[in-house]
């Protein structure tokens, strides 16, 4: 028994010595003892290490100056279309302001006419019956136009007229063409409308008719001072005047084109005023 106890004791002592020797060897080891393995501290910013999952690519951090240059280039590229758009709009405005050939030329502005009425019908008719060519008949469907050129000695044109029994259309226009004659002339024209004859002697005024002041002016040199309206010249003397806008010829129109059956007896007088 004593012998076996000694043997077990020797074995235990040997195990203890082996264990202590291994611990001493392990404690003397370091990372540098293994070739190919080096120690390295972690980076301060761990997020930068997660930017790329491809281990074969090197992560390159962008330079702050490069970011600023990229921002300035993008701002310039944004401003360039705006500048181009501004140039395009300026070009469009210049094109729109340019007049095209054949376009109707704008006429100079003219002052409105002065008009008034008078109840002295009998006096005017009595006086005008004594004057030559002051009493005329405007036949049904006709338009009588009195051409009155401007003269250097005067500054205004004046008119007064009356009719027997029924009204008549009247309007004033101005032709800007150069004056070639100082004579006052009268021109008679027929209505271009072929109207059917109804039982109604006077066609009622409807929108678009001459007596509603919508007479179209085809001549590009002709300016409108008073559109043609039906005037109650059988009830009161119709008078008016207009200041010369420049050199040209007035056209005083006595319009009976809307009447199918009735002729109109017209008493009229046109004169100049200084």
């Amino acid at each position: 028994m004593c012998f076996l106890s000694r043997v077990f004791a020797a074995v235990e002592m040997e195990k203890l010595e082996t264990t202590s020797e291994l611990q001493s060897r392990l404690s003397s080891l370091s990372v540098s003892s293994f070739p190919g393995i080096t120690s390295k501290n972690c980076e301060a910013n761990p997020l930068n290490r997660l930017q790329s999952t491809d281990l074969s690519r090197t992560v390159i951090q962008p330079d702050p100056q490069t970011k600023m240059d990229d921002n300035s280039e993008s701002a310039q590229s944004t401003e360039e279309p705006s500048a181009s758009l501004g140039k395009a709009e300026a070009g469009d405005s210049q094109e729109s302001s340019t007049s095209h050939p054949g376009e109707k030329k704008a006429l100079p502005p003219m002052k409105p006419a002065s008009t008034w009425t008078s109840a002295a019908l009998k006096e005017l008719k009595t006086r005008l019956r004594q004057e030559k060519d002051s009493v005329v008949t405007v036949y049904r469907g006709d338009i009588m136009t009195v051409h009155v050129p401007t003269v250097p000695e005067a500054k205004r044109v004046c008119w007064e007229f009356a009719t027997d029994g029924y009204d008549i259309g009247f309007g004033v226009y101005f032709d800007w063409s150069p004056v070639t004659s100082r004579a006052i002339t009268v021109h008679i024209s027929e209505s271009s409308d072929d109207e059917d004859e109804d039982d109604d002697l006077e066609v009622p005024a409807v929108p678009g008719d001459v007596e509603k002041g919508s007479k179209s002016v085809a001549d590009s040199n002709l300016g409108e001072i008073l559109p043609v309206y039906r005037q109650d010249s059988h009830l009161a003397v119709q008078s008016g005047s207009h200041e010369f806008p420049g050199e040209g010829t007035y056209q005083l129109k006595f319009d009976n084109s809307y009447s199918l059956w009735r002729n109109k007896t017209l008493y009229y007088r046109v004169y100049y005023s200084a």
Side-chain angles (χ1 to χ4, degrees):
M1 288 294 292
C2 292
F3 177 77
L4 290 175
S5 300
R6 291 177 180 177
V7 171
F8 283 120
V11 172
E12 290 295 332
M13 290 295 292
E14 187 176 357
K15 287 183 179 180
L16 290 173
E17 290 176 358
T18 303
T19 303
S20 61
E21 184 178 356
L22 288 174
Q23 289 178 351
S24 63
R25 287 184 179 182
L26 290 174
S27 61
S28 63
L29 292 177
S30 64
V31 179
S32 60
S33 301
F34 298 90
I37 299 178
T38 58
S39 61
K40 186 177 181 182
N41 296 329
C42 295
E43 296 180 1
N45 188 4
L47 295 178
N48 295 334
R49 302 173 62 194
L50 302 177
Q51 289 180 354
S52 175
T53 58
D54 188 359
L55 300 178
S56 64
R57 295 177 57 185
T58 303
V59 178
I60 301 176
Q61 297 294 328
D63 189 8
Q65 183 64 30
T66 306
K67 289 183 179 180
M68 294 178 62
D69 295 341
D70 294 341
N71 293 335
S72 61
E73 289 178 1
S74 62
Q76 289 178 359
S77 63
T78 305
E79 291 175 358
E80 286 177 359
S82 300
S84 303
L85 182 59
K87 291 180 181 179
E89 290 177 353
D92 294 341
S93 62
Q94 290 179 357
E95 291 179 0
S96 61
S97 61
T98 305
S99 59
H100 299 283
E103 193 174 272
K104 185 177 179 180
K105 181 177 66 176
L107 298 176
M110 293 185 292
K111 294 181 179 179
S114 300
T115 59
W116 61 92
T117 59
S118 171
L121 275 174
K122 292 182 179 180
E123 293 80 355
L124 177 68
K125 292 179 180 180
T126 301
R127 185 173 72 252
L128 292 182
R129 286 192 185 100
Q130 308 301 321
E131 299 180 9
K132 183 180 179 182
D133 299 329
S134 292
V135 182
V136 296
T137 300
V138 182
Y139 293 95
R140 59 184 179 90
D142 286 354
I143 302 173
M144 186 183 84
T145 304
V146 182
H147 298 263
V148 185
T150 57
V151 293
E153 299 83 5
K155 294 183 179 180
R156 303 180 71 89
V157 63
C158 305
W159 60 85
E160 53 184 355
F161 64 94
T163 51
D164 283 340
Y166 306 98
D167 61 8
I168 194 169
F170 178 74
V172 181
Y173 298 84
F174 188 81
D175 186 357
W176 288 92
S177 303
V179 176
T180 57
S181 174
R182 299 182 62 175
I184 297 177
T185 59
V186 177
H187 176 73
I188 304 295
S189 61
E190 294 182 357
S191 174
S192 58
D193 299 330
D194 295 330
E195 299 173 319
D196 297 329
E197 295 184 355
D198 301 327
D199 295 335
D200 193 0
L201 298 181
E202 300 290 340
V203 177
V206 295
D209 278 1
V210 172
E211 65 265 28
K212 299 299 290 183
S214 57
K215 186 177 181 63
S216 60
V217 180
D219 192 348
S220 60
N221 290 329
L222 200 63
E224 185 180 76
I225 300 173
L226 281 178
V228 175
Y229 284 99
R230 290 171 65 168
Q231 306 290 337
D232 292 330
S233 50
H234 60 299
L235 303 177
V237 177
Q238 307 295 318
S239 304
S241 67
H242 188 260
E243 182 178 348
F244 293 170
E247 181 186 5
T249 303
Y250 284 93
Q251 294 185 8
L252 281 66
K253 294 183 178 292
F254 296 94
D255 194 330
N256 196 33
S257 61
Y258 58 91
S259 182
L260 298 178
W261 289 90
R262 288 182 176 140
N263 302 327
K264 307 294 174 62
T265 301
L266 173 67
Y267 303 81
Y268 80 99
R269 177 173 174 249
V270 179
Y271 58 96
Y272 297 106
S273 175

